[in-house]
Amino acid sequence: MITPEYCRLMSRYNCWMNERLYAVCAELTDPVRKEDRGAPFRSIHGTLNHLLLADRAWMGRFTGVPYPARSLDQELYADFAELRREREITDSVIEDWVAAITPERLAADLTFTSLSRPEPRTVPLWFPVTHMFNHQTHHRGQLTTLLEQLGCDFGVTDLMWLPGGCEG
């Protein structure tokens, strides 16, 4: 099982990486961000949208306030500035939620229905929380590949170099 400290560390990492990658993406033109590059969510913009949608869906399940998503590739925001602002808001929601998480809550069951497999499933909360942080890292890896192919410098992405590291 994971700990509340792990959740707080991964939430800080999520914010750090999102701030850095959105700054790099802001330097691109809208057509470049939205160009289909053959990625699972087609474009840089599509990947950013998917990450936001998935985080909102998981946070909706965790908080009991479901997020109304139609599909995993749904475009939430066509405008990059709006997408970036909403990303910052969602990252703040995640940080606030993990600040209050307890070992008991992580061990408690969560019942949810996913978009990809629409049958109810019950698992200890720590499992989908781990998945959420892993999912973020997975798709940011796709994003950094797309950015690297464009010659963009996004710097180091390793958790080990998170400012403040595991000290908080």
Side-chain angles (χ1 to χ4, degrees), residues 30-105:
D30 206 45
V32 169
R33 278 192 304 269
K34 292 182 176 178
E35 182 180 339
D36 188 335
R37 300 186 178 280
F41 293 95
R42 294 173 300 288
S43 65
I44 290 167
H45 194 85
T47 303
L48 293 170
N49 259 282
H50 172 72
L51 274 162
L52 180 59
L53 181 141
D55 284 352
R56 286 183 170 179
W58 281 114
M59 289 308 300
R61 294 170 187 137
F62 300 161
T63 63
V65 182
Y67 186 75
R70 295 183 310 276
S71 68
L72 294 174
D73 63 352
Q74 174 183 340
E75 182 176 63
L76 300 178
Y77 304 99
D79 178 71
F80 179 75
E82 189 174 14
L83 179 65
R84 187 178 191 178
R85 183 176 55 254
E86 293 298 320
R87 175 76 263 174
E88 291 169 359
I89 291 168
T90 298
D91 286 349
S92 181
V93 168
I94 294 169
E95 285 200 307
D96 290 346
W97 184 78
V98 301
I101 199 74
T102 64
E104 295 77 23
R105 179 69 185 105

Side-chain angles (χ1 to χ4, degrees), residues 95-121:
E95 285 200 307
D96 290 346
W97 184 78
V98 301
I101 199 74
T102 64
E104 295 77 23
R105 179 69 185 105
L106 285 168
D109 282 344
L110 173 73
T111 300
F112 67 94
T113 302
S114 83
L115 284 169
S116 60
R117 291 187 178 181
E119 65 271 351
R121 184 169 184 199

Side-chain angles (χ1 to χ4, degrees), residues 1-12:
M1 184 171 86
I2 61 173
T3 65
E5 293 77 21
Y6 170 83
C7 295
R8 289 188 275 280
L9 174 68
M10 294 308 293
S11 179
R12 284 183 37 241

